[in-house]
Amino acid sequence: MNTGADDSAEEALLVARAYLSAVAEPPAPALVEFIAEHGALLAADRVHRGRLPSRVFDEVQARREHVRGRRTLEAAREDGVRLVVPEQHEWPRQRFSCFAEATAVGLAEVAEPIALWVRGAASVGVTVDTSVAVVGARAASGYGEALAAEFGYGLASAGHTVVSGAAYGIDGAAHRGAVTAGKPTVALLACGVDVDYPAGHGRLLRSITEQGLVISEYPPGTPPRKHRFLVRNRLIAALGAGVVVVEAGARSGAGNTAGTAEALGRPVMAVPGPVTSSSSVGCHAMVRSGKAILVTRTDDIIEVVSPLGTAASTEVGGPSRTTDRLEQRARQVHDALDGAGAASAEQLARDSGLSLRQVRALLPALEMAGFVTQSEGGWQRCAP
Amino acid sequence: MNTGADDSAEEALLVARAYLSAVAEPPAPALVEFIAEHGALLAADRVHRGRLPSRVFDEVQARREHVRGRRTLEAAREDGVRLVVPEQHEWPRQRFSCFAEATAVGLAEVAEPIALWVRGAASVGVTVDTSVAVVGARAASGYGEALAAEFGYGLASAGHTVVSGAAYGIDGAAHRGAVTAGKPTVALLACGVDVDYPAGHGRLLRSITEQGLVISEYPPGTPPRKHRFLVRNRLIAALGAGVVVVEAGARSGAGNTAGTAEALGRPVMAVPGPVTSSSSVGCHAMVRSGKAILVTRTDDIIEVVSPLGTAASTEVGGPSRTTDRLEQRARQVHDALDGAGAASAEQLARDSGLSLRQVRALLPALEMAGFVTQSEGGWQRCAP
């Protein structure tokens, strides 16, 4: 790597990170550790020269003489793509701290990205500050897509950035919901941010960049590959304060994202659906096994991802019926008057099984509360 | 109480229990305790004479001079109803042991019944030996009723007796499923077993008695009352090894049964549904709060109610896709061949980011496994 003398320190860093980001296939745990140890400038120089520990060498050998940091960075910029690196203020430091914790317990495959290639003007760190990942099956049902759009709209409206993977089905619907709310949303791609993938989502990706961000750890031009989706999923899991799986079949990429989120210590949520729908099988299995919390409404999700006590919990409950207020014995007396016209206290005692003393004590209270009335024939119910 | 000298000991006991069952409105914790202490014969005699501790007296005062044990028992028999009492072999002793444990921790309202009025020839104890309660909303959806019928059929076919409350909606569908399977099912009523309630279920109740049982702790002729449904629910909860709530609104009797089951130490299960359905709100709330285990299939239910290790667990999983068997690095090499025709090991190394050494080691293994093949132009994928 050759950096000109007139480059600013930041520019040198960006060129170094651009090179490092292109030289190894993510996740590259040995290289990430090597950069953390030596700094990006020295690490890039040593990778280029090939003076490396063998673990790092294995990760970079194939590409180290073939990729160019400055050229990759400049081509990206010409295409409106910028590079965000850990040394910058907008790096989502807090969200990515989970990687350091995970690698500490030996989860090498969830290494932090070396850099992020970004389309969109907003600050990455600020945009994901209150974010929720919403993911799910590509082959989603209409039910699933409608819910994903509703959650996307609701979360975005409540100030929670929706993070997803821009795929067909649930991902796209969640992004669309957020875009419809006029709020930023973040799409994490498994290919370069200049690659329109999936092909039918070119317009959606462009509309996302207007307020939100399209992000990839893969340099521009990188084609999507099957394994890259799985590797990318760790960034979706890390960038959300929690992951909501709207629909997932028995085997799914969303299940993989949920598993990674769990490993990273993020709460996993799953949305139930008809047990007859194959698109909900994965969600139900996650809830059943205790991996995921069941959520049915945007408010449920906000409650899970909000620091304790900051979200207003809304209780599910039907309207209170009047006799519900009555204690058990009073209700027994009230029940005993069911349809039977007027009755004496003695009759009510026999019917309800309560003692005459109890019935005589309860009747005036019921009368005062407007439930019963006394006539010549005896006690009777008031009309509701 | 007056028992003739020629009555057998059992007959005397039945008459005493018939009297005690009619004299107090269930649950009658003080009376139940009094009977346990003195035996049914002596207890009935003392209730009749009115020589009682005041707690017991309060429970029996209103009816003790108005009900007749022998007359109630004989009228019931003439109508084909028999009385089952704790002193008999068929008493569901094991299932009801939960009441003793619950009263030990102060749950007086879940007292054991004094006797059971039964229509149907089968032994109560044997019939509920492997049983599951299936309950839910009266105002059920078509989805809920179809599932309740499916579970009823599936559980009954697998040898699990379905216990429910004979109400419209979920209860009725669950009973019907079991009847369709040609197996016994148990209906617990909140009124006398001679009262056709609900009116439209007379035929269902009669078909249940052919192989199964219609049971009530209320003597024949007792009309249904609102509070009796809540009291009855504890018997449904106790007589099932677990309770499945198929559909429940935000407030529901099924929720009450589930709460009682929880208090009695029985596992509660709930079936998910569309989040857009008000009939599933209660089920989702129970799962979300951790009160209920999510179940979607008959097998899930059997797994929960079976003693550990006796039910064959069936894993949810899609068909295994061939490349799923490949380890991560082998898959990266396989992915790198995506569509691109033939490629050299060097090209594959650059594309996959793996070292040339790794790629050279993986290619022969992939070839042997039938994933790739070598031609003059280089390596390429085999047709799937």
Side-chain angles (χ1 to χ4, degrees), chain A residues 134-279:
Chain A
V134 179
V135 300
R138 278 170 296 178
S141 72
Y143 165 80
E145 290 199 16
L147 279 180
E150 189 186 315
F151 293 152
Y153 184 92
L155 287 167
S157 301
H160 295 269
T161 300
V162 172
V163 174
S164 195
Y168 289 132
I170 300 300
D171 287 16
H175 286 306
R176 263 193 209 97
V179 168
T180 305
K183 299 285 183 176
T185 176
V186 174
L188 269 295
L189 306 190
C191 55
V193 295
D194 59 331
V195 180
D196 273 359
Y197 185 88
H201 274 182
R203 215 171 126 188
L204 173 64
L205 288 168
R206 279 183 290 282
S207 75
I208 288 173
T209 59
E210 280 167 30
Q211 295 209 47
L213 302 166
V214 175
I215 301 180
S216 177
E217 65 180 321
Y218 297 100
T222 309
R225 295 269 191 261
K226 200 173 162 190
H227 73 90
R228 286 185 183 136
F229 287 91
L230 298 176
V231 170
R232 178 277 316 263
N233 286 349
R234 82 190 195 291
L235 300 187
I236 296 178
L239 285 177
V243 173
V244 182
V245 183
V246 179
E247 278 193 329
R251 304 177 53 94
S252 67
N256 168 270
T257 307
T260 306
E262 205 189 4
L264 294 174
R266 298 274 191 264
V268 176
M269 293 156 269
V271 181
V275 302
T276 44
S277 162
S278 61
S279 313

Side-chain angles (χ1 to χ4, degrees), chain B residues 82-149:
Chain B
R82 64 203 173 87
L83 187 65
V84 174
V85 299
E87 292 82 358
Q88 289 170 324
H89 184 69
E90 70 168 296
W91 187 255
R93 204 157 279 110
Q94 214 187 327
R95 286 277 185 256
F96 282 169
S97 65
C98 59
F99 289 129
E101 290 152 27
T103 34
V105 297
L107 288 166
E109 73 279 13
V110 290
E112 177 165 296
I114 288 168
L116 297 175
W117 299 92
V118 177
R119 216 193 260 286
S123 152
V124 177
V126 170
T127 307
V128 301
D129 183 42
T130 53
S131 55
V132 179
V134 179
V135 299
R138 276 169 299 179
S141 72
Y143 165 79
E145 290 199 16
L147 279 180

Side-chain angles (χ1 to χ4, degrees), chain A:
Chain A
M1 196 186 67
N2 220 336
T3 62
D6 58 341
D7 278 348
S8 71
E10 182 169 346
E11 184 65 12
L13 212 50
L14 288 171
V15 171
R17 287 272 179 189
Y19 173 73
L20 292 166
S21 132
V23 81
E25 178 74 19
L31 180 59
V32 168
E33 205 187 316
F34 187 72
I35 298 169
E37 212 172 303
H38 299 282
L41 287 173
L42 185 58
D45 187 59
R46 287 197 44 192
V47 168
H48 198 247
R49 288 166 192 261
R51 296 174 50 192
L52 298 162
S54 67
R55 278 183 62 236
V56 182
F57 193 78
D58 275 355
E59 288 178 2
V60 300
Q61 182 205 353
R63 296 184 191 156
R64 65 184 190 84
E65 290 174 358
H66 300 271
V67 295
R68 296 282 174 273
R70 182 180 304 278
R71 196 190 299 163
T72 307
L73 184 63
E74 280 170 1
R77 282 173 175 161
E78 273 165 33
D79 193 30
V81 176
R82 64 204 173 84
L83 187 65
V84 174
V85 299
E87 291 82 0
Q88 288 170 326
H89 185 67
E90 70 169 296
W91 186 255
R93 203 157 278 109
Q94 215 187 326
R95 287 277 185 258
F96 281 168
S97 65
C98 60
F99 288 129
E101 290 151 27
T103 35
V105 296
L107 288 165
E109 72 280 12
V110 290
E112 179 166 292
I114 288 168
L116 296 175
W117 299 91
V118 178
R119 216 193 263 286
S123 152
V124 177
V126 170
T127 306
V128 302
D129 184 42
T130 54
S131 54
V132 179
V134 179
V135 300
R138 278 170 296 178
S141 72
Y143 165 80
E145 290 199 16
L147 279 180
E150 189 186 315
F151 293 152
Y153 184 92
L155 287 167
S157 301
H160 295 269
T161 300
V162 172
V163 174
S164 195
Y168 289 132
I170 300 300
D171 287 16
H175 286 306
R176 263 193 209 97
V179 168
T180 305
K183 299 285 183 176
T185 176
V186 174
L188 269 295
L189 306 190
C191 55
V193 295
D194 59 331
V195 180
D196 273 359
Y197 185 88
H201 274 182
R203 215 171 126 188
L204 173 64
L205 288 168
R206 279 183 290 282
S207 75
I208 288 173
T209 59
E210 280 167 30
Q211 295 209 47
L213 302 166
V214 175
I215 301 180
S216 177
E217 65 180 321
Y218 297 100
T222 309
R225 295 269 191 261
K226 200 173 162 190
H227 73 90
R228 286 185 183 136
F229 287 91
L230 298 176
V231 170
R232 178 277 316 263
N233 286 349
R234 82 190 195 291
L235 300 187
I236 296 178
L239 285 177
V243 173
V244 182
V245 183
V246 179
E247 278 193 329
R251 304 177 53 94
S252 67
N256 168 270
T257 307
T260 306
E262 205 189 4
L264 294 174
R266 298 274 191 264
V268 176
M269 293 156 269
V271 181
V275 302
T276 44
S277 162
S278 61
S279 313
S280 288
V281 168
C283 290
H284 293 153
M286 282 179 223
V287 171
R288 184 164 153 68
S289 67
K291 272 186 197 138
I293 303 158
L294 182 144
V295 293
T296 63
R297 306 172 302 165
T298 302
D299 283 352
D300 291 347
I301 300 168
I302 292 174
E303 204 184 312
V304 171
V305 299
S306 300
L308 280 180
T310 59
S313 163
T314 49
E315 272 296 306
V316 171
S320 164
R321 270 169 278 142
T322 48
T323 58
D324 288 349
R325 287 183 294 133
L326 298 178
E327 62 107 6
Q328 168 73 10
R329 289 173 177 183
R331 200 189 296 178
Q332 275 176 246
V333 175
H334 189 256
D335 281 0
L337 279 167
D338 197 15
S344 69
E346 289 75 12
Q347 286 172 309
L348 291 174
R350 277 199 299 283
D351 187 284
S352 67
L354 296 171
S355 70
L356 189 56
R357 187 169 48 81
Q358 286 174 323
V359 172
R360 284 199 175 125
L362 288 163
L363 282 167
L366 281 166
E367 186 177 28
M368 278 183 62
F371 286 104
V372 302
T373 182
Q374 205 171 3
S375 65
E376 284 197 25
W379 293 89
Q380 56 188 101
R381 269 199 196 185
C382 294

Side-chain angles (χ1 to χ4, degrees), chain A residues 63 226 251 324 350, chain B residues 63 226 251 323-324 350:
Chain A
R63 296 184 191 156
K226 200 173 162 190
R251 304 177 53 94
D324 288 349
R350 277 199 299 283
Chain B
R63 297 184 190 154
K226 199 172 161 189
R251 303 175 54 92
T323 58
D324 287 350
R350 277 199 298 283

